[in-house]
Amino acid sequence: MSGLALGPEFRGQGLELVRHVSSSCAMCAKARGQQSRGEMTEKKLTRHFVDHRRVKLMAGSGGKGACCFHSEPRKEWGGPDGGNGGDGGSIIIKANRFVKSLAQVVPLYKGEDGQSGGSKNCYGRNGSPTYIPVPLGTVVKEEGKTVVDLSEHGLEYLAVFGGAGGKGNRFFLSNENRAPMTATSGAPGEERVLQLELRTMAHAGLVGFPNAGKSSLLRAISNARPAVAAYPFTTLSPHVGIVSYRDHEQVAVADIPGIIRGAHLNRGLGISFLRHIERCRFLLFVLDLSAPEPWTQLQHLRYELDQYEPGLSQRPQAIIANKVDLPETREKLETLRSLVMERVIPVSALTGQNTEELILHLRELYDGYLQGQGGGEGKPTKW
C-alpha cells in the first residue's frame, strides 16, 4: 500500500478499500460445493469384508517373585517379605453383534505380562485380559477341528491362559527354613495358533448363479444396499439385509455370492462362500428367467450344495423366478412350474413386481421355522 495515495475524503476508508480487494470475496473464491457421498462400490465392500483369519495367540507371562528381607531400625531380623509376581493376562475371543467382519483381527496377539513382586509382601499386579471381538457366527478352529462356535452375542471363549506368577521368598518361609533365599520366575503364557472362520448368520439365503439378480432382489425387499450395476459382474462378499414386518418381527436375508458349476471343488469363489449357506435356516433359489433353460440352474445349484454338505439342498425353500418383466419369460415360467414340485414365485427385482408375495412367503417360512418345522434348534438370533 506504499504506492497508493489516498485523498482526504478516503483516508478514513482505507481499511474498507483493502477489504474490497480481498481474494476471499464471493466473485474470486472457488465454488465449494458439498460432494455427495456415493454408495460404496463392490471393490470397496469386498476390501472391508474378511471372513477368514489365522491368528497366533500368546498369553502374558507371570511376573517374577521377589527375594528380599524386612529391615528397619530395631528390627534387624524382620524375616523374608518378598511378594509373589502377578499372573499373566489371558486372551479371550468374544462374540459381538456390532462387529460384521474379521477385518479388525490382526495376525498376532500378545497378552499383558504380570508385574514382579515387591518388598513388604507386595504382590505384583495381574496382567489385564485381552479381548478379541468377532462377529456372530465365528467358528474357532485348531488344526482343522472346530473348537467353539460363537453364535450368540456376548459368548466368550478363553483361548489361552496367562502364566502363573512366580513365588517370592515369603512363600517358602517354614519352621525349618526361617530365612529362605528362594524365589521363582513367572510361568510363560500359553501359545496357540487358531483359525477364525465367519459363517453368515441369516435366516434365509439367496442362492443362485452369477447375474441372477440376487443383489437387486435384496435391495428390493430389505434395507441392504449391495452394489448393483447395469452390466454383468459377480458379488464378491455376502451381504445381509433385514426384512421388517408390521408386528416388528425381523427376518435376516443373506445374499450369497454367485455359485458356479464345480463350486464344491473350490472353483470360483467355491468353498469360501458355500460355508455361509450352512447357517441359513431356509433357502431362496433365485433363477434367471432370461437364461435359455432356467430350470437346469436349479438342478446344478442343488447338486453343488449336496456335494458340499449332503442334504443341504433339502432345507425349507422357495424358488424365485427373477426378471419376469422381460416379455420372453412367460413360456419359460410355465415350463418351470410344470417341472418342479415347490412353489415358484415370479418377481422382478428391477421393477419390484410381485415382491410382496415373496415377502409374505418369507414370513411363512420364518414362522414355520419358529414352530420347529425348519429343522433348527431354538429361536433364531435377533438382528
Side-chain angles (χ1 to χ4, degrees), residues 37 49 69-70 105 114 123 139 160 174 233 239 272 275 295 323 325 347 349 353 366-367 370 372 382:
R37 183 180 178 182
F49 182 87
F69 292 86
H70 182 73
V105 178
Y123 283 29
V139 178
V160 287
S174 63
F233 75 98
H239 305 283
S272 298
R275 63 169 173 262
W295 44 89
K323 304 182 182 180
D325 55 304
V347 299
Q353 179 181 349
Y366 177 78
D367 292 339
L370 292 184
K382 294 289 183 181

Side-chain angles (χ1 to χ4, degrees), residues 287-308:
L287 306 183
D288 184 3
L289 286 182
S290 64
E293 296 181 350
W295 44 89
T296 60
Q297 296 181 5
L298 181 62
Q299 301 174 1
H300 296 320
L301 290 173
R302 289 176 173 173
Y303 175 78
E304 295 297 333
L305 297 185
D306 288 334
Q307 290 298 312
Y308 173 71

Side-chain angles (χ1 to χ4, degrees), residues 113-128:
D113 295 335
Q115 291 185 351
S116 300
S119 60
K120 300 182 180 179
N121 295 319
C122 291
Y123 283 29
R125 184 173 61 87
N126 295 333
S128 301

Side-chain angles (χ1 to χ4, degrees), residues 8 28 69 71 97 117 170 208 217 229 248-249 270 279 293 298 352 382:
C28 302
F69 292 86
S71 178
R97 67 171 178 266
R170 173 74 181 184
L217 186 61
H248 305 290
E249 194 65 78
R279 296 300 181 92
E293 296 181 350
L298 181 62
K382 294 289 183 181

Side-chain angles (χ1 to χ4, degrees), residues 50-377:
V50 178
D51 68 334
H52 184 273
R53 279 288 197 222
R54 181 180 181 271
V55 295
K56 182 177 182 180
L57 308 178
M58 302 172 61
S61 300
K64 297 180 180 180
C67 181
C68 54
F69 292 86
H70 182 73
S71 178
E72 61 177 310
R74 295 182 297 275
K75 276 190 177 183
E76 298 181 1
W77 311 100
D81 66 348
N84 299 338
D87 297 334
S90 303
I91 300 180
I92 302 172
I93 303 175
K94 185 175 182 178
N96 190 335
R97 67 171 178 266
F98 301 108
V99 180
K100 300 302 181 183
S101 172
L102 296 175
Q104 303 299 327
V105 178
V106 297
L108 176 63
Y109 285 90
K110 177 68 171 69
E112 182 181 355
D113 295 335
Q115 291 185 351
S116 300
S119 60
K120 300 182 180 179
N121 295 319
C122 291
Y123 283 29
R125 184 173 61 87
N126 295 333
S128 301
T130 301
Y131 287 89
I132 305 176
V134 296
L136 300 184
T138 299
V139 178
V140 181
K141 292 185 177 181
E142 185 176 19
E143 297 181 354
K145 297 182 179 179
T146 300
V147 178
V148 66
D149 185 357
L150 303 176
S151 58
E152 297 180 6
H153 177 70
L155 193 63
E156 297 181 356
Y157 172 64
L158 206 163
V160 287
F161 288 89
K167 303 299 182 182
N169 62 340
R170 173 74 181 184
F171 177 82
F172 298 97
L173 177 64
S174 63
N175 292 331
E176 293 77 16
N177 188 1
R178 304 303 301 173
M181 299 291 293
T182 304
T184 61
S185 301
E190 284 187 319
E191 295 186 13
R192 295 176 73 181
V193 177
L194 300 176
Q195 295 81 36
L196 306 181
E197 292 184 2
L198 172 60
R199 300 179 179 179
T200 302
M201 297 285 292
H203 305 132
L206 297 173
V207 184
F209 283 102
N211 304 311
K214 301 184 299 297
S215 298
S216 300
L217 186 61
L218 186 64
R219 274 175 165 259
I221 65 175
S222 72
N223 61 350
R225 289 297 176 264
V228 296
Y231 51 85
F233 75 98
T234 301
T235 301
L236 300 178
S237 62
H239 305 283
V240 179
I242 303 299
V243 181
S244 301
Y245 294 88
R246 293 183 178 179
D247 58 352
H248 305 290
E249 194 65 78
Q250 293 181 337
V251 179
V253 182
D255 171 20
I256 308 299
I259 300 174
I260 64 173
R261 298 186 63 177
H264 68 281
L265 301 175
N266 211 18
R267 294 177 183 172
L269 298 175
I271 298 176
S272 298
F273 290 109
L274 273 174
R275 63 169 173 262
H276 290 275
I277 306 177
E278 295 182 40
R279 296 300 181 92
C280 299
R281 301 304 182 184
F282 35 91
L283 307 177
L284 303 177
F285 289 101
V286 183
L287 306 183
D288 184 3
L289 286 182
S290 64
E293 296 181 350
W295 44 89
T296 60
Q297 296 181 5
L298 181 62
Q299 301 174 1
H300 296 320
L301 290 173
R302 289 176 173 173
Y303 175 78
E304 295 297 333
L305 297 185
D306 288 334
Q307 290 298 312
Y308 173 71
E309 179 182 329
L312 183 58
S313 67
Q314 303 303 318
R315 294 186 180 182
Q317 58 190 257
I319 300 175
I320 304 173
N322 194 20
K323 304 182 182 180
V324 73
D325 55 304
L326 300 178
E328 66 274 9
T329 59
R330 292 184 176 274
E331 296 181 0
K332 297 178 183 179
L333 177 61
E334 297 300 327
T335 304
L336 175 63
R337 283 175 168 169
S338 63
L339 294 176
V340 298
M341 300 295 296
E342 293 80 4
R343 180 177 180 179
V344 178
I345 303 177
V347 299
S348 173
L350 180 63
T351 63
Q353 179 181 349
N354 208 32
T355 54
E356 295 83 359
E357 180 182 354
L358 172 60
I359 294 175
L360 292 176
H361 184 64
L362 184 63
R363 180 60 186 271
E364 294 176 3
L365 292 173
Y366 177 78
D367 292 339
Y369 164 66
L370 292 184
Q371 296 172 5
Q373 301 176 1
E377 298 180 358

